[in-house]
Amino acid sequence: MKKLLNPILLFTLLCLLLLCSSAQAAEPVDTHTDSLPTSARVLGDTLYAIADGRIIALASPESGAETVVNLADFPEIDPSEWDYLWLTGDGDALYLLQPRKGLLYRVEPNALTLATRLDISSLGRETLTPGERYVMFCHPVMMDGRLYLLSMDTVAWQGYELYGFSLDTGECSSVEIGLMEPEGLVPYRDGMLLTVNRDDESVVALKPDGSGRTEVLTRLPAINNRHAVYHPAEDAVYFLSGFTLMRYRGGFEQAENLPFDDMSFTAWAGVWHGELVALTSQGLYRCVTDQTQPVQPDKNALRIWSNSNLLTSDDLIGFRASHPEIPLEVQVGAQEDPMERLMNESLSRDASIDIFILSSYMIDSQLIFERGFAAPIRSDRLQKNMHAMLPQIGELLMRDGALYGYPMALWPDFWTVRPDLLEAAGWSEPPRTMEAYVDMLLDWYDAHADERQAVTFNGWGSVRMQQVNTAQMLLNAYVYAYASSDEPVAFNTPAFAQLLQKLELLSEYEGTELDLMDAAEAGALPRIFHTGKSITPLSRAVNPANWGEVTIDAPVFFEGDAPTNGASMDYFIVNPNSQHQEEAIAFLEYYSQHLDPKDAYLLAPDQAEPVLNDQYQEQIEALQSRADQLAESFLQQEASVGVITELLEGMQGSAEDYAALQAELTAAQKMLTAYSDELAECAASLSLAETSRYIISPEVIAEYQAVAQGLSLRNHHWAWEIMEELDTQALFTRYFEGGASLEQTLRELDQRVAMMFYEGQ
C-alpha cells in the first residue's frame, strides 16, 4: 500500500507558504518574432523554437534569435502543418517531428534531412474527416536511440498511451505504463521518463522499456496539478498548480507566481542557463528556480481566490497590462470548501482575499448576501451590463436592487437530440414530458436491441445505470418545477411514485445483451439523446463528436409546465472587509469588457451578433493552393506512369532493363497513389474549413436563444444539494435492486430533504 503524505499537513504547509512568501513572476523570453512559438526545446545552452515559419535559435536570454531553417524552403512540409510540428533532440542533435505523417527530420543549418519514417500504421490514424479516428501525438522525448511520445485517440478519448520508436528503423512499440491519465513527458535521472499521473495526483518516473516505474511523489498537495519537470542541477521536481509553480526538494515549496496557468501551458522546453523554460499559449517564459529566500507578500496586491482554476492567462496578462499600478495575485485553494473559507474570513474580518469566485452550483447566493458576506458592487457600468443579461442572472446576483455579485461564466445543462437518429427509431419529435421520455426509454429497450452496435439511446451503459440516472433526472425536473425557499419539496406524491414504478420495469432487461454494455463502450457510440451537460450550440463547432445534434428543452415533469433547463454560474463577490474595493471593481469592469464572445453570448443572448472567423479566408486560400499544387503534380505523375507503361509494352531490351523499368513504374505508381491520398485529405480539410466560417454563426445563436429563457439558476442549486448531500444515487440504487420498497424510498427521501431544509434556515 502506498504511504500517503498527510493531506492536513500539506494543506497547512501550503497555506503558510502562500501567506509568507511570494516570488517574482516568470519573465517572457523575447524571441524577436511576430508570431508566438508553437514548439520549443533546449539543447545544451541553446533554446530552439518554431515561429514565423522558421526554426530559430537563441544562445542566451540577452541574445537575438538566429534562423536555423526557413520552413518555406522545404515544400515537402506543407504550411498547414507548421503549427503541428514538434522540436525534440538528444545531446546536441536537434530533430523536427511531423507527427501527422510520422516523419522525423534531422535539423542542421539550412537543412532538413529525413532521418526516419515512424511506423504509425498500427495506431489507427485515418483522414481528418468528421467523426473518423486519428491519433494525436505530444511531448516527444529522445533517449538512447529511441523517440518516446504520448498518443491519444481523439475520437474515443480514452487517455494517453506511451509509444517508443526506433530512430534507425521507425519501428513502433507500445510501452505498458499502467497509468490512467499521464500528463506530460520529460527526461528524468537514471534514463527514466517523468510524468504526472492525474488519476491519483502523483508524480511517476517510468522506465522507457516498460519494465517498471517509481513513484517520485506519491501525493501532490492539491488537485489540478500538471506537468512535472526535473531540474538536474537542483535535483528538484517542479510542477504547475493553477497559477503557481511548485517545487519539491525534500518538501513542497512555492517557487513563484506565474503570469500563465496550467491550462495555458503547452510543454517544458528544458533548463536554459539554469532556469526552466515553459512553452505556453502566451509565449515562452523563463521561470525563476534559484529562490532561496522567501519574498514578503505585496500588501498592495489585489488577491483573487477560487477553489478551482477558472481564470485564464489572458485575463491576468491583459489586466496587468491595462492596470500596471495594481499588482494581481490568484490563489487556487483546491482542497478548500468555498463556503467554509468564505464564512471563516467574513466572521474573522480577514482582508487577505479581496475577490472570491463562487459557484451557484454549490452555494446559495442570496444566503451569502443576506448574511453580509459580500460587499455591494457600486459600478454603473456593471449595473448596466446586468440589465442586458438574462433576468435569471439578476435574480441570482442582485438583492433589493443592489448588485452583490458579477457573473464570470454560465454553464447551461442542456439536452440535445440527433433528429436523424430520432426519426430512424420511429419517433417524430423529442419528448416534452419526463413520462414521455421514460416511455421512449422502455420502447428503446423493447424494440431496438438489434441496433446495439450502431447507436445508443443516451450513451449510458447498464440497465441499472439507466434506472438510477433517469430517476435523478426525474428528481431534477421535479425540483425545477416545484422547489421553493418557503418549504421543503415533497417527493412522496402519486405523480413521482408512478414514474419511479414505470422506470422499475427496465429491470426485466437486466442480463440481456443491452445490459452488458459498459459506460465506455456506450459513450463511444452515437446517441439519440444527450441528456445532461451536453455542449452548448455556441461551442459545438469545435467538437466533431457533437455535430448533428440540436439543443432542446429538457422535458418537464407535467404537461403544461414551463420548460426548464438546469444551469450553474461562476460569479465574483467582493470581500466586505477588503481594503482594495476600488481595485476589485476595476478588475471586474476589465473582466466584463473582455469576455470571450461565447461567454458574452451565453449571458446576454439578445445582444448577439454573428462573429466571423478572421482566419477563415486565409485557411481556405492556403488549402486551395495546396490542392491545386497536388492536382498538378498528380496529372504530371499520371502522365509519367502512362509513358513508362508504353515503354514497357513496346520494350525489346534485356530482362535486366525490363526489371529496372518495371521498378521505376512501381515507384511512379506508388507516388501517384500518395498524391491521390493527399488530394483526398486536402479535400476533407477544405470541407472541415467550410464549417469554420463563423466563430459564432446566426444559426447557433438562434438555437441558443430558443432555449435560454428556460434556464434555471436558483433551483439548480437545490437539485444539486439534494442529490449530493443526500446521496440519492445510493438511495435509488437500493430501491431498484429491491433493498427498499417504493414507499420506504420516498418517505426516506422526504425526511432527508426536510432535515436539510430546516438545517439551512
Side-chain angles (χ1 to χ4, degrees), residues 130 195 255 309 321 379 475 576 589 614 645 648 669 748:
T195 187
N309 194 18
S379 165
L475 183 148
E589 289 183 340
D614 292 338
T645 301
L648 278 171
Q669 289 173 330
E748 183 175 353

Side-chain angles (χ1 to χ4, degrees), residues 99-102 117-126 135 137 165 170-172:
R100 289 185 171 183
K101 297 185 181 299
R117 294 178 180 272
L118 307 180
D119 180 14
I120 61 173
S121 59
S122 62
L123 305 186
R125 183 190 182 279
E126 299 177 8
V135 169
F137 300 112
F165 296 88
E171 175 190 4
C172 172

Side-chain angles (χ1 to χ4, degrees), residues 18 495 636:
L18 288 172
Q636 292 174 353

Side-chain angles (χ1 to χ4, degrees), residues 144-216:
D144 299 327
R146 293 187 71 79
L147 172 70
Y148 298 93
L149 45 78
L150 292 172
S151 169
M152 174 179 278
D153 181 327
T154 56
V155 171
W157 296 105
Q158 292 181 357
Y160 286 101
E161 295 183 7
L162 179 62
Y163 291 95
F165 296 88
S166 167
L167 297 186
D168 296 326
T169 66
E171 175 190 4
C172 172
S173 61
S174 176
V175 181
E176 282 294 329
I177 56 177
L179 302 178
M180 292 293 292
E181 298 181 78
E183 185 82 61
L185 194 69
V186 294
Y188 187 54
R189 61 189 178 202
D190 302 325
M192 301 182 80
L193 300 170
L194 196 71
T195 187
V196 171
N197 181 24
R198 294 292 307 285
D199 186 48
D200 63 5
E201 298 294 332
S202 63
V203 178
V204 178
L206 308 166
K207 291 186 177 180
D209 61 1
S211 62
R213 72 186 194 195
T214 301
E215 292 190 344
V216 179

Side-chain angles (χ1 to χ4, degrees), residues 40 54 88 97 167 197 212 216 242 247 343 434 457 462 662 701 759:
R54 297 178 293 145
T88 186
L97 174 63
L167 297 186
N197 181 24
V216 179
R247 171 172 51 213
M343 288 179 62
M434 286 305 305
F457 187 76
S462 68
Q662 182 64 52
I701 291 174
E759 285 178 349

Side-chain angles (χ1 to χ4, degrees), residues 40-43 47 229-230 267-272 275-278 285:
R41 177 71 63 175
V42 175
L43 291 180
L47 172 61
V229 64
Y230 179 63
W268 290 108
V271 180
W272 188 43
E275 295 180 334
L276 294 172
V277 177
Y285 284 88

